[in-house]
Each structure stands twice: as C-alpha cells, then as structure tokens.
Amino acid sequence: MRLFYYVHTGHRIGLDRFRRAATIIRALGDVDITLLSSDFRIASMAREHGIKRAVGVDVVRNIPQIANNGDKIIFDSAEINPVMLDDMTRYFSTFIRISDDPNEQKHPDELLISPYLEGEGVFKGVAVDDAWFEEKPKTIKRAFFFGDDDYEEDLAANAATFAGLELELLEGFYWFYGYGEKLKGSFTALHDEEAYDAVIAGSECLVTSSPQAVLEHLAAGGKPIYLQREDYPTDFIPLFESLTIPVIHGFNKSALSEALNKMQSHTYHACPKNSEKLATFLKQNLDLY
C-alpha cells in the first residue's frame, strides 16, 4: 500500500497548489510519499523543494496508471466532480482532499482540508511552512508578484497600473524569456524567480495575485495586498477578509494606490500557524505513526 500526493499545477494555472504541496510534504517529515504532478517540468524539479520523488501524470485520469486500488492519496485539485469523487473514494483506501471553496461540501467517504469547513473528518486551516514565521529584516519597501503564470501576458498589457507606485517586481517561474524586460518602465527593480523566498520574506509590503504568497508574506511579518485576477477563482477572498488583508479587484490603480498609502496604519490579523496540527491530522488518518 503506497501513499501519493496529486497536485494540479502548471504554466496556465500557476504554482500555488504546488508550493502548498511542498509545504505539506515537508511537514510530514521522513514519510515515503510520491508527488503526482499534472506538470512534467514541476515533477522534474520537485526535489529542489524537498520532495524526494515526483512523477508527471499529465491529466488527473492517469492517476490509476501509477496508483493501485487500495493505495492512499492526498488530492489537491479543483478538477473534481461528483462522479470522479465517488470513483476516487472507492479506489483509494484513504482519500484526503484539499479545497479552498468556501461553499464546499464534504463527501461522506473522504477527509477534507479546508480554511472554512469544520466537523468530523475535516481539518480547518491553511498550509504555511513554519520557516516563514521566522521574521527576516525587511530590505524592500514594496514588492509585486503577479504569480507564476501569465501565459497571455496580461501584466504587460496592464503595466501602466503599477507605474509610479514604487514597486519592485518579482518575476514568476513560468514567465517567458525576456518578459520582465517589457515591464521595466513600471517597476523600480526586477528580481528573478529564484529570489522568491528572499523577496516574499524581505518586503515590508507585497502586492500579489498569489494566494499562497499572501499567506507566506503575512506569516513573515509583512503587509500583503491581494490583487484578485479576473481569471482566478475568488475562493480566498472570505479568508483574506477575515485576516483584514486588503483585496483589490483587477487592475484598479486608484484602489491599489489608496491601499498602499494606508498600508502602514492598517492592522492585520496574524497568519494561522498550524502546520504541526495539519501534519498530525494527516499522519493519524494515513496511519503513518
């Protein structure tokens, strides 16, 4: 009986779920687990994020080609539908799903991780690595991270939104070669994707469309502002509002400028620190003790 972690990620949907997967797998410690990634490139570099073994599966329906009936899986994807959920809960002896949907309903034969739901078989919380709570010196006043995916180059088309706001740009992992050069005129400095940890932890304020980056920056003692993209689900807005994180909808320069001007006096709630409790929930339900 083997343990798998499936994550839906890629150049068109971003790496937020993958970053969360790496956090959870690291929190489990020395556990024999295989990451199944919908993106082959991510599978090939997973070891750099503390994941010992990863396999690309292309599409979710390919999971049974690797996993056997009776295996166990942690499933992080919005690709699920009622028929697939029935099939998955029958196929796997333990099926643990991660959902960010505030309107989620738990299947009777699954376990669920959610920032909103409570009850039997549910862990209410978020996954943020404990390392982010070790506050670092803030050497960047304002940074901007759109995300790892911008296949349509929406940021370049709306670059004027950020001109004059004194933001330093953190590039995404999947950006096309030279894309950052198109944005130089709207940002005061450019950081490549390898500087992700340093920029997220080392900025006083972070404007971002990455929900995972919002939580990591808040944990590191920063003041995040969430930019809700039109092509992203709005699942995280209730969570962010409960943490008093400002939410800007779309490329609204006046609203963003106002939020930045009020940022110093704005009071944030603390980021939930629950990776140890999450690891305990998973180990108990996966019989890893």
Side-chain angles (χ1 to χ4, degrees):
M1 187 180 297
R2 296 174 297 168
L3 174 59
F4 295 92
Y5 190 127
Y6 171 74
V7 61
H8 187 212
T9 191
H11 68 283
R12 287 190 178 273
I13 59 172
L15 301 187
D16 277 61
R17 291 180 186 273
F18 170 71
R19 295 185 193 281
R20 177 163 63 190
T23 294
I24 292 173
I25 291 173
R26 288 194 299 265
L28 289 175
D30 190 21
V31 169
D32 187 10
I33 185 170
T34 299
L35 180 76
L36 304 178
S37 170
S38 59
D39 185 282
F40 286 89
R41 185 178 178 190
I42 289 302
S44 69
M45 50 78 72
R47 185 175 288 273
E48 299 172 17
H49 293 263
I51 300 171
K52 295 179 181 178
R53 186 165 55 253
V55 179
V57 295
D58 193 23
V59 294
V60 65
R61 284 295 183 182
N62 286 342
I63 291 176
Q65 295 182 11
I66 298 174
N68 296 323
N69 194 346
D71 285 339
K72 303 175 182 182
I73 193 168
I74 303 168
F75 185 89
D76 191 353
S77 172
E79 298 166 289
I80 205 78
N81 59 57
V83 173
M84 186 190 299
L85 188 52
D86 284 339
D87 290 345
M88 289 282 192
T89 54
R90 284 194 296 264
Y91 191 82
F92 291 97
S93 60
T94 303
F95 184 80
I96 302 176
R97 186 164 59 94
I98 303 174
S99 175
D100 306 311
D101 184 353
N103 300 311
E104 187 63 80
Q105 294 184 353
K106 179 185 173 295
H107 189 284
D109 295 323
E110 72 172 345
L111 298 163
L112 195 64
I113 298 170
S114 165
Y116 302 111
L117 273 65
E118 297 182 88
E120 185 177 354
V122 178
F123 180 86
K124 182 182 180 182
V126 296
V128 178
D129 198 303
D130 284 350
W132 289 106
F133 292 87
E134 301 169 5
E135 193 168 335
K136 303 292 194 304
K138 302 297 185 257
T139 58
I140 300 172
K141 184 177 181 180
R142 295 175 177 178
F144 177 77
F145 177 58
F146 191 52
D148 292 288
D149 61 309
D150 189 11
Y151 197 78
E152 305 297 334
E153 298 193 3
D154 291 331
L155 183 56
N158 293 277
T161 302
F162 308 97
L165 298 182
E166 301 298 312
L167 294 163
E168 297 188 20
L169 175 67
L170 173 61
E171 295 180 314
F173 181 76
Y174 281 103
W175 285 17
F176 301 105
Y177 179 76
Y179 181 32
E181 295 297 313
K182 300 179 182 180
L183 303 166
K184 271 189 172 180
S186 297
F187 297 92
T188 58
L190 266 64
H191 303 270
D192 65 34
E193 59 88 16
E194 292 183 356
Y196 178 89
D197 288 6
V199 174
I200 300 300
S203 301
E204 292 181 22
C205 174
L206 176 73
V207 181
T208 181
S209 294
S210 163
Q212 189 67 19
V214 167
L215 294 171
E216 291 167 350
H217 180 67
L218 182 64
K223 294 177 176 290
I225 296 172
Y226 182 57
L227 187 72
Q228 175 65 56
R229 290 169 54 161
E230 292 182 359
D231 58 337
Y232 270 27
T234 58
D235 291 347
F236 282 91
I237 289 181
L239 173 64
F240 291 163
E241 289 179 342
S242 73
L243 296 171
T244 65
I245 294 168
V247 176
I248 307 299
H249 293 268
F251 297 98
N252 187 329
K253 185 167 187 172
S254 61
L256 178 56
S257 179
E258 182 179 359
L260 286 167
N261 290 335
K262 293 180 178 179
M263 180 263 300
Q264 289 295 343
S265 60
H266 187 78
T267 301
Y268 289 79
H269 291 174
C271 180
K273 187 178 182 181
N274 46 222
S275 64
E276 185 174 342
K277 291 181 180 178
L278 175 55
T280 299
F281 172 83
L282 290 169
K283 288 180 179 180
Q284 288 176 342
N285 286 288
L286 293 166
D287 297 322
L288 297 176
Y289 285 108

